[in-house]
Amino acid sequence: MIYIRADGNTAIGMGHVMRCLAVAEAVTKLNCPPLVFLAADEGCRELIEDRGFCVFSLETDYREMLGEMPQLERVLDRRSDLVFVDSYYASDEYYLALGKLARVACFEDLGVPHPVDLLINYNLYAPQLEQRYRASLNEQNQQNLYPKNVLLGTSYMPLRRAFQKPSGYQLRDRVTQILITTGGSDPYFAAGAITDALIKDTMILEKGIHLHLVSGPYNQYAQELQSRYGSTAQITIHEKVKNLRSLLLESDIVISAAGSTVYEASSIGVPMVVFYFAENQRQGAEALAACTEITNAGCFAEEGSAVADRIREAVRRCISDSAYRERLCQQETALIDGRGAHRIAEQIEALCRRS
């Protein structure tokens, strides 16, 4: 069996589950064993089952992953099982214990090597971390505290199926539609601050630009969004979004938190402005700004008002400079080829054969 261990809820959002679903869909197209998701609780069951996969709830605390080892010991078979882990709460102690029960692969975003059979960091900055991963292998191999194999860079970005095909996106002469997305959750109500900053801007008001707000499945401010903007003709709130690709294709600018959505927007080529909430998103936002002309507006959790102001200024530039938007489109589409999930699935297939 192949097991994918991931969680999603209001506190951590849905990024872990979404990228694992992309990998799961690619795995099912290959000659691999059956696949089941493992989750600490029921928080992400509906999303996973809607995509056609079974979920087994461990009924544990997602922040205390060592506590789930008794359940895993009853389930896993070291001779034939593989567990793909995606969690920032998985420690080296957890991976070492899990490695005694099954082959182990994981996503990793922070440049921290783990004792697994396969480690994947698909971020733009990942190739810069190769020496760190390799040094760990050379220095700690006696303690088995290193990844046996690493896959680095955007070639392994696991885009969802909808974003794996050519987009056919066309830049329009002028900006009329702006999309704002804060991920699966919005812990600091960034959507409200960004929207307020934009609708008070005379350039946006005078040009009649329409704002589209994506309210994620774990947005604790969903009702507040409706209360503030639900009756505003210039604003549309989108809940339970099933087809983000269509929204992106219809947008002239996308303002996004620095998660998986920025890679999906890049694959289409929508001119983008990014910001971030937490440290694990900082490197991605900074790398994106370093290799393109995309504006990284900064950490909303630390300086929300200033971030909203920087986003407004970046939007004004996009509105007034069509050549700049064209450059962004070209730079973004050069980053991603859409086959990352398939490449990961091939590595999982090979690891299953070796086991």
Side-chain angles (χ1 to χ4, degrees), residues 19 104 148 342:
R19 63 187 183 183
V104 183
K148 295 180 175 65
H342 178 72

Side-chain angles (χ1 to χ4, degrees), residues 77-255:
D77 183 347
R78 181 67 177 86
R79 293 167 298 177
S80 59
D81 290 338
L82 182 145
V83 183
F84 192 105
V85 180
D86 188 0
S87 173
Y88 295 139
Y89 294 96
S91 64
D92 282 349
E93 186 179 2
Y94 173 85
Y95 282 123
L96 287 170
L98 186 59
K100 296 176 182 178
L101 306 176
R103 294 293 179 100
V104 183
C106 74
F107 276 130
E108 202 286 311
D109 296 320
L110 303 176
V112 180
H114 294 300
V116 296
D117 297 284
L118 177 65
L119 181 147
I120 303 156
N121 187 333
Y122 59 75
N123 291 284
L124 281 168
Y125 55 83
Q128 303 168 20
L129 302 173
E130 182 170 10
Q131 291 304 314
R132 184 182 303 179
Y133 292 126
R134 299 299 181 189
S136 173
L137 188 154
N138 293 332
E139 294 171 6
Q140 303 184 50
N141 56 4
Q142 296 301 316
Q143 291 79 32
N144 198 34
L145 296 175
Y146 61 90
K148 295 180 175 65
N149 189 23
V150 294
L151 308 177
L152 305 177
T154 57
S155 292
Y156 299 98
M157 169 64 209
L159 291 178
R160 289 183 285 170
R161 185 169 48 196
F163 295 92
Q164 294 174 14
K165 54 187 177 182
S167 70
Y169 180 73
Q170 296 292 323
L171 282 171
R172 288 166 277 272
D173 292 337
R174 68 187 190 93
V175 173
T176 63
Q177 312 292 325
I178 297 177
L179 182 67
I180 302 171
T181 173
T182 57
S185 63
D186 187 356
Y188 301 94
F189 199 31
I194 295 167
T195 300
D196 286 345
L198 294 181
I199 61 178
K200 293 175 183 176
D201 192 289
T202 55
M203 176 183 284
I204 293 173
L205 288 172
E206 292 172 358
K207 292 184 179 294
I209 294 172
H210 198 95
L211 304 182
H212 297 265
L213 314 183
V214 175
S215 181
Y218 295 109
N219 187 354
Q220 60 187 311
Y221 295 103
Q223 291 185 343
E224 180 69 13
L225 280 178
Q226 291 289 351
S227 175
R228 285 197 192 189
Y229 312 116
S231 60
T232 304
Q234 193 182 357
I235 298 174
T236 300
I237 300 170
H238 302 268
E239 296 182 316
K240 298 181 179 179
V241 173
K242 299 292 186 182
N243 192 348
L244 181 62
R245 186 176 189 272
S246 291
L247 286 178
L248 287 167
L249 285 170
E250 295 165 2
S251 302
D252 301 299
I253 304 169
V254 58
I255 300 164

Side-chain angles (χ1 to χ4, degrees), residues 64 68 72 312:
E64 301 291 339
E68 68 194 39
L72 296 180
R312 186 187 66 246

